[in-house]
Amino acid sequence: MSFANKVVLITGASSGIGAAAAILFAKEGANVVIVGRNEQKLQKVKEKCAKFGKGVLVVKADVSNEQDAKKIIKETIDKFDKLDVLVNNAGVVGQSSILSDNVLSVYDTIMNTNIRAVVHITNLAAPYLIKTKGNIINISSVAGKMTMTTSPAFSYAVSKAALDHFTRFAAAELASHGVRVNSISPGPVRTDILDNAVVSMAVSMEGFENAVPLGRVSEPEEIADLILFLASDKAKAITGSDYVSDNGILLT
């Protein structure tokens, strides 16, 4: 899969799935725009991407901030003059019961990043994607398809269920413009998302390993491979779809 001279924008690219995808896109010849809040981590990802000799733009930004979102798209177009692929990967998780005193603050923080920001950035990026007949990949989660009574993270689950449905609506509207929109729903992936939780989570990656049928947690590169497939011409007939890669957790 060659992405020579393509421009790929990835949010939440300072670590985990976003970082792995950025490096893989760069390896395949793409110019990458890596977005995140941690500039030090972004610079490390940039160094890895730059080894492949293509353009790398670092944008330190919070996707949930409306002005930052506008800055992301503006700097991308100013630098590369086009956009071919948008990967909406930035996301946060947090634990809060419906009975918790902090339920609304946790809910608002998670929804603002996981779905509102995606809607906004998609809106800003769509005109440029229409010009290139590009595509969008939204990183969702199996959490949007299941309940987790042992870990009350309902706000995260609701945000991902909303993202799944937004993906279908965006795919339906943008199809006539030649723009494909798909989502990927990973199960547990070995990233730092739990370390960065809005409210600490009473779960661990080791606990997930013991809970899933295949007895393992995915590595970020596995999801990155799927992102590249969906962004490539090999998936030119695929839009409005959700790809689950969860080691069988939905079977439990």
Side-chain angles (χ1 to χ4, degrees):
M1 291 180 287
S2 173
F3 288 90
N5 300 317
K6 298 287 188 181
V7 177
V8 181
L9 192 166
I10 306 170
T11 66
S14 61
S15 63
I17 293 170
I23 294 165
L24 196 52
F25 271 116
K27 185 177 181 180
E28 295 296 330
N31 299 300
V32 293
V33 182
I34 53 176
V35 180
R37 293 176 296 178
N38 189 313
E39 193 166 10
Q40 186 175 5
K41 287 184 177 180
L42 285 171
Q43 288 299 328
K44 291 180 179 179
V45 177
K46 178 183 179 180
E47 290 172 6
K48 293 178 180 178
C49 292
K51 291 179 181 178
F52 301 105
K54 301 305 294 183
V56 184
L57 173 63
V58 172
V59 183
K60 182 177 183 290
D62 179 349
V63 295
S64 67
N65 180 292
E66 291 188 14
Q67 295 308 312
D68 277 10
K70 293 176 182 177
K71 179 180 78 169
I72 291 166
I73 302 301
K74 183 180 185 303
E75 291 192 7
T76 297
I77 301 305
D78 286 349
K79 173 71 173 178
F80 296 113
D81 200 35
K82 69 169 185 170
L83 178 61
D84 296 282
V85 180
L86 169 63
V87 181
N88 285 309
N89 170 70
V92 294
V93 69
Q95 185 166 300
S96 178
S97 163
I98 293 170
L99 301 177
S100 300
D101 291 338
N102 66 344
V103 61
L104 283 182
S105 63
V106 173
Y107 179 85
D108 286 344
T109 298
I110 290 174
M111 295 296 283
N112 282 342
T113 297
N114 292 6
I115 182 62
R116 190 178 189 275
V118 173
V119 173
H120 190 203
I121 291 175
T122 299
N123 167 260
L124 296 171
Y128 302 102
L129 292 169
I130 288 171
K131 289 180 181 179
T132 59
K133 305 299 182 187
N135 66 84
I136 301 169
I137 297 98
N138 296 324
I139 306 305
S140 187
S141 170
V142 293
K145 303 164 179 61
M146 61 191 297
T147 55
M148 298 170 286
T149 54
T150 57
S151 174
F154 84 90
S155 296
Y156 179 74
V158 168
S159 75
K160 293 303 185 179
L163 181 57
D164 289 347
H165 211 38
F166 173 70
T167 297
R168 290 186 282 269
F169 267 93
E173 180 172 345
L174 296 177
S176 62
H177 298 285
V179 176
R180 297 185 297 109
V181 187
N182 293 290
S183 61
I184 297 173
S185 290
V189 181
R190 204 175 302 282
T191 72
D192 58 4
I193 190 169
L194 295 181
D195 297 331
N196 299 326
V198 176
V199 178
S200 61
M201 301 285 291
V203 293
S204 66
M205 288 301 169
E206 291 72 22
F208 281 125
E209 287 179 352
N210 298 325
V212 299
L214 290 182
R216 65 185 298 276
V217 169
S218 292
E219 298 298 329
E221 291 74 16
E222 298 171 41
I223 309 304
D225 283 337
L226 195 47
I227 292 171
L228 262 73
F229 166 71
L230 286 173
S232 76
D233 287 340
K234 292 185 177 182
K236 61 185 177 183
I238 301 173
T239 194
S241 293
D242 177 64
Y243 277 64
V244 173
S245 179
D246 71 342
N247 292 296
I249 197 170
L250 285 181
L251 299 174
T252 59

